[in-house]
């Protein structure tokens, strides 16, 4: 095989390798392995420009220690000069070359003369590094041919380096984008431990994300146990005030005068028992957030004082004359009907408008049943961990019970049920028998008032299937018939008991049975 054939074969093998992997070190090692086998090159290094220096990024035939020693300044030594000038350098015997630095120390114990070829790595007009190889001493013509071949190999490698860089950059960008998306998602849809993916809860999350940035007053409404306090805390901890305190005051827990002194503080001697000056919660929350729970129970005096703080951010301690200024963000919560309180005159309308700058209405659990499975999983995990139990699931029968209950106590009630079940559970799965009886007895439906239930039932009728002229005469006997049939079923066919259950006379029942055509 002549030299040209050999070169072609080498280039062919190298280009195949470059096409098969994106790993730069692997490409270079494979290239060097081919060069070592075919051209008896011993050591090879791939050096890349790295800021003001050059760094060995891949090496063949060098130990790790030799590699880490190999740092060059551009222009320094042979490799430096090649990168600096963009021209290849061939040295027949490096031992007699003053430029040779032997930085890596790899050639220290060599017995005979070594030749050295170093070619530049260019990408377009930019020097990006150098490729070099050692070879047993060779004649000038062989070295020249080797150099020409290495020049071509270098263009291949430069291409691979650029592709590699591009891939790295894209990967870094993707990672960055991923982090960004995750943060955004977290910002949007994940607030501490607030679980929910229903559209009602997503709306709540969106408002939290929006108001957290501002200092606007927020009024959180909703039935008991719907997560009002959870939301108040989420707003605080996602706001610029998060490093400052969030202070809670429950307006129901305290008597009228105690509430006033609790909120605004008092001076010594302001009332019996005021032995010294005391800071109020407003002062303690300075720079942070004050969470006023059950605001509907606040009395008139405190309402007036609160209104002033909201308007002027100023107040005096009870019994004091000094005006105190505070920077406090107010979040209030209530499950009472404030509009009704306003009508009755127990809640000030002006205060209501000040508080209700941003209203957040927490949906009841009944209105977002699709979140129940998520909440179940959340609480199983929480309480299994807390009780150090390995409970991993729940039977479908139990889930069905939990899904169908009315949950008047909302998430708090659900949480309580799961906690209790976990405590009592002896196996790996929660079963229906661990759940409270109220979920089974239909007590659930009792929480919808009968009147409302009848109204709902009537509204859900397919009216177009009912003779338009005789709705009353058609439907009322049907209702009577259903009622009587149910009573007879419940009293196991004993008519006297059925009549008692219905609260009607036995003879009346008999007549109805005949009139309505009920088999008994
Ligand atoms: N979306 C939710 N995800 C997870 N846990 C929740 C959620 N909503 C409420 N909870 C839990 O339910 C319990 C009651 O929540 P919270 O105290 O916030 O309700 P509340 O609306 O303030 O009730 P109340 O009006 O009775 O004070 C807490 O233990 C809370 O962690
Ligand atoms: Mg609460």
């Amino acid at each position: 095989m002549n030299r040209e054939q050999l070169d072609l074969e080498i280039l062919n093998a190298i280009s195949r390798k470059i096409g098969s992997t994106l790993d730069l070190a692997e490409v270079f090692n494979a290239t060097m392995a081919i060069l070592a086998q075919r051209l008896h090159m011993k050591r090879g290094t791939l050096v890349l420009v790295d800021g003001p220096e050059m760094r060995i990024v891949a090496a063949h035939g060098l130990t790790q220690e030799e590699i880490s020693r190999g740092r060059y300044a551009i222009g320094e030594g042979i490799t430096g000069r090649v990168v600096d000038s963009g021209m290849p350098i061939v040295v027949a015997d490096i031992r007699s070359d003053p430029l040779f630095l032997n930085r890596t120390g790899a050639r220290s114990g060599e017995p005979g003369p070594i030749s050295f070829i170093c070619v530049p790595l260019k990408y377009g007009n930019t020097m990006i590094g150098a490729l070099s190889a050692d070879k047993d001493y060779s004649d000038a013509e062989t070295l020249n041919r080797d150099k020409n071949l290495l020049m071509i190999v270098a263009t291949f490698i430069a291409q691979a380096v650029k592709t590699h860089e591009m891939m790295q950059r894209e990967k870094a960008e993707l990672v960055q984008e991923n982090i960004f998306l995750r943060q955004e998602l977290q910002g949007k849809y994940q607030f501490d431990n607030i679980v929910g993916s229903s559209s009602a809860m997503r709306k709540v999350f969106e408002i939290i994300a929006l108001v957290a940035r501002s200092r606007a007053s927020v009024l959180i409404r909703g039935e008991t146990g719907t997560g009002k306090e959870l939301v108040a805390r989420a707003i605080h901890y996602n706001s610029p005030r998060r490093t400052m305190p969030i202070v809670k005051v429950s307006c129901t827990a305290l008597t009228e005068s105690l509430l006033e002194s609790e909120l605004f503080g008092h001076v010594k001697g302001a009332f019996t028992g005021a032995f010294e000056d005391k800071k109020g919660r407003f002062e303690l929350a300075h720079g942070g957030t004050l969470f006023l729970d059950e605001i509907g129970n606040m009395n008139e005096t405190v309402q007036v004082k609160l209104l002033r703080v909201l308007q002027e951010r100023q107040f005096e301690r009870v019994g004091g004359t000094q005006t105190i200024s505070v920077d406090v963000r107010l979040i209030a919560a209530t499950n009472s009907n404030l509009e009704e309180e306003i009508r009755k005159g127990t809640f000030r309308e002006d205060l209501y408008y000040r508080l209700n700058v941003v209203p957040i209405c927490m949906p009841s659990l009944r209105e977002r049943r699709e979140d129940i499975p998520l909440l179940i999983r959340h609480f199983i995990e929480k309480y299994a961990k807390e009780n150090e139990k390995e409970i991993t699931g729940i039977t479908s029968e139990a889930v069905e019970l939990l899904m169908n209950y009315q949950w008047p106590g909302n998430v708090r009630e659900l949480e309580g049920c799961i906690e209790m079940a976990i405590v009592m559970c002896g196996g790996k799965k929660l079963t229906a028998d661990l759940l409270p009886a109220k979920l089974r007895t239909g007590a659930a439906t009792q929480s919808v008032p009968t009147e409302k239930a009848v109204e709902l039932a009537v509204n859900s009728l397919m009216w177009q299937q009912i003779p338009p002229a005789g709705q009353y005469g058609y439907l009322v006997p049907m209702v009577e018939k259903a009622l009587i049939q149910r009573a007879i079923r419940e009293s196991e066919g004993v008519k006297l008991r059925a009549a008692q259950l219905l609260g009607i006379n036995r003879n009346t029942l008999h007549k109805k049975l005949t009139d309505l055509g009920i088999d008994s």
Side-chain angles (χ1 to χ4, degrees):
M1 190 187 290
N2 65 27
R3 179 68 205 235
E4 260 125 68
Q5 282 174 320
L6 179 67
D7 284 0
L8 270 179
E9 239 192 64
I10 293 172
L11 289 175
N12 200 1
I14 293 175
S15 70
R16 269 208 308 271
K17 188 65 210 175
I18 289 178
S20 73
T21 173
L22 285 167
D23 184 328
L24 204 53
E26 201 181 320
V27 165
F28 185 70
N29 271 322
T31 304
M32 279 313 300
I34 295 166
L35 292 174
Q37 191 201 358
R38 299 307 188 90
L39 292 178
H40 313 290
M41 292 189 179
K42 285 184 172 167
R43 281 171 287 264
T45 51
L46 173 62
V47 169
L48 290 182
V49 175
D50 184 9
E53 275 194 332
M54 290 184 301
R55 187 170 49 87
I56 297 184
V57 290
H60 184 83
L62 266 76
T63 64
Q64 201 52 47
E65 204 198 335
E66 287 164 352
I67 292 174
S68 59
R69 277 204 296 267
R71 298 189 76 88
Y72 311 81
I74 298 176
E76 193 186 15
I78 296 177
T79 311
R81 186 162 290 191
V82 167
V83 173
D84 206 23
S85 66
M87 299 299 289
I89 293 180
V90 177
V91 183
D93 181 357
I94 53 168
R95 290 182 307 178
S96 54
D97 193 297
L99 267 180
F100 192 72
L101 297 170
N102 195 18
R103 273 281 160 81
T104 62
R107 301 163 188 94
S108 301
E110 286 287 334
I114 308 165
S115 301
F116 179 77
I117 308 165
C118 184
V119 298
L121 225 56
K122 288 189 217 175
Y123 192 75
N125 287 328
T126 321
M127 303 306 295
I128 58 169
L131 182 68
S132 60
D134 281 10
K135 187 168 178 167
D136 283 339
Y137 185 78
S138 309
D139 61 61
E141 200 198 322
T142 310
L143 286 177
N144 196 38
R145 281 184 165 268
D146 288 349
K147 176 206 75 184
N148 288 342
L149 179 74
L150 276 190
M151 294 278 278
I152 303 173
V153 172
T155 60
F156 287 2
I157 302 273
Q159 190 65 46
V161 168
K162 277 292 150 186
T163 313
H164 182 79
E165 254 178 42
M166 220 154 67
M167 298 289 294
Q168 290 298 105
R169 206 171 36 239
E170 271 175 25
K171 199 168 137 193
E173 274 167 15
L174 277 178
V175 169
Q176 191 54 41
E177 191 175 7
N178 205 347
I179 291 171
F180 174 72
L181 282 177
R182 222 177 311 144
Q183 278 171 347
E184 194 179 47
L185 210 78
Q186 238 165 19
K188 251 188 182 153
Y189 294 131
Q190 217 182 333
F191 292 102
D192 290 13
N193 285 324
I194 314 183
V195 177
S197 66
S198 58
S199 64
M201 283 307 285
R202 284 213 301 270
K203 224 166 158 180
V204 170
F205 295 146
E206 269 167 33
I207 304 177
I208 298 176
L210 273 176
V211 295
R213 287 176 229 148
S214 76
R215 81 181 294 289
S217 298
V218 179
L219 180 61
I220 309 170
R221 324 258 315 239
E223 291 178 17
T224 178
T226 45
K228 296 187 291 294
E229 183 161 348
L230 218 53
V231 167
R233 294 188 183 280
I235 294 174
H236 174 76
Y237 287 111
N238 285 280
S239 80
R241 297 169 175 259
R242 66 176 74 86
T243 55
M244 302 304 278
I246 173 167
V247 176
K248 177 185 164 180
V249 182
S250 173
C251 302
T252 7
L254 301 160
T255 64
E256 195 168 308
S257 54
L258 265 183
L259 178 61
E260 190 182 354
S261 115
E262 195 62 34
L263 281 176
F264 306 104
H266 60 246
V267 296
K268 189 175 167 183
F271 48 85
T272 334
F275 298 118
E276 52 194 18
D277 287 4
K278 190 184 158 215
K279 275 190 181 180
R281 303 285 173 103
F282 259 107
E283 280 176 76
L284 294 173
H286 183 61
T289 305
L290 185 72
F291 175 46
L292 279 180
D293 209 3
E294 294 314 333
I295 189 106
N297 294 320
M298 186 178 271
N299 69 68
E300 176 78 18
T301 328
V302 182
Q303 284 182 35
V304 173
K305 215 161 167 175
L306 178 60
L307 184 63
R308 178 161 163 238
V309 187
L310 287 175
Q311 282 167 341
E312 300 164 23
R313 301 190 188 172
Q314 286 182 338
F315 61 89
E316 286 90 34
R317 288 184 183 167
V318 176
T321 47
Q322 193 198 342
T323 301
I324 296 165
S325 296
V326 281
D327 166 28
V328 167
R329 196 248 182 104
L330 201 76
I331 301 179
T334 183
N335 61 15
S336 51
N337 185 343
L338 287 185
E339 292 78 6
E340 181 63 33
E341 308 267 335
I342 293 171
R343 247 195 317 279
K344 285 194 299 196
T346 48
F347 202 84
R348 291 184 67 105
E349 196 170 6
D350 44 8
L351 177 59
Y352 171 79
Y353 286 116
R354 278 278 166 180
L355 289 173
N356 201 24
V357 177
V358 181
I360 298 183
C361 293
M362 298 306 296
S364 70
L365 194 50
R366 291 183 297 290
E367 292 167 275
R368 53 176 189 114
R369 286 185 192 275
E370 65 266 43
D371 284 341
I372 294 178
L374 281 179
L375 286 160
I376 296 175
R377 199 179 326 143
H378 173 72
F379 292 131
I380 289 181
E381 265 173 33
K382 178 174 167 187
Y383 289 104
K385 203 166 152 198
E386 220 174 278
N387 291 281
E388 293 172 358
K389 288 194 173 183
E390 245 181 78
I391 295 166
T392 48
I394 178 164
T395 65
S396 50
E397 193 195 349
V399 172
E400 201 178 319
L401 281 179
L402 293 165
M403 288 290 286
N404 289 326
Y405 183 61
Q406 288 296 313
W407 301 113
N410 295 293
V411 184
R412 181 184 290 113
E413 192 181 9
L414 173 65
E415 183 172 2
C417 283
I418 305 276
E419 182 182 6
M420 181 68 100
I422 296 262
V423 170
M424 297 190 306
C425 183
K428 288 203 175 307
K429 265 187 165 189
L430 290 192
T431 45
D433 59 304
L434 296 168
L435 297 171
K438 68 182 175 194
L439 269 65
R440 250 164 272 128
T441 54
T445 42
Q446 277 172 16
S447 59
V448 174
T450 314
E451 209 176 313
K452 183 78 192 162
V454 171
E455 190 189 318
L456 286 175
V458 169
N459 288 343
S460 67
L461 287 174
M462 310 265 254
W463 287 98
Q464 70 273 27
Q465 293 180 357
I466 297 169
Q471 284 171 357
Y472 188 87
Y474 180 81
L475 285 175
V476 174
M478 271 190 176
V479 174
E480 274 193 302
K481 189 172 173 180
L483 271 175
I484 293 169
Q485 280 173 327
R486 183 168 177 274
I488 290 178
R489 241 193 346 266
E490 280 192 10
S491 46
E492 289 162 340
V494 183
K495 296 206 186 70
L496 180 62
R497 264 180 57 202
Q500 278 167 349
L501 257 181
L502 290 163
I504 58 176
N505 183 289
R506 185 161 51 140
N507 293 330
T508 317
L509 178 63
H510 276 292
K511 187 169 181 311
K512 292 272 179 200
L513 289 176
T514 321
D515 290 352
L516 296 167
I518 301 174
D519 294 329
S520 55

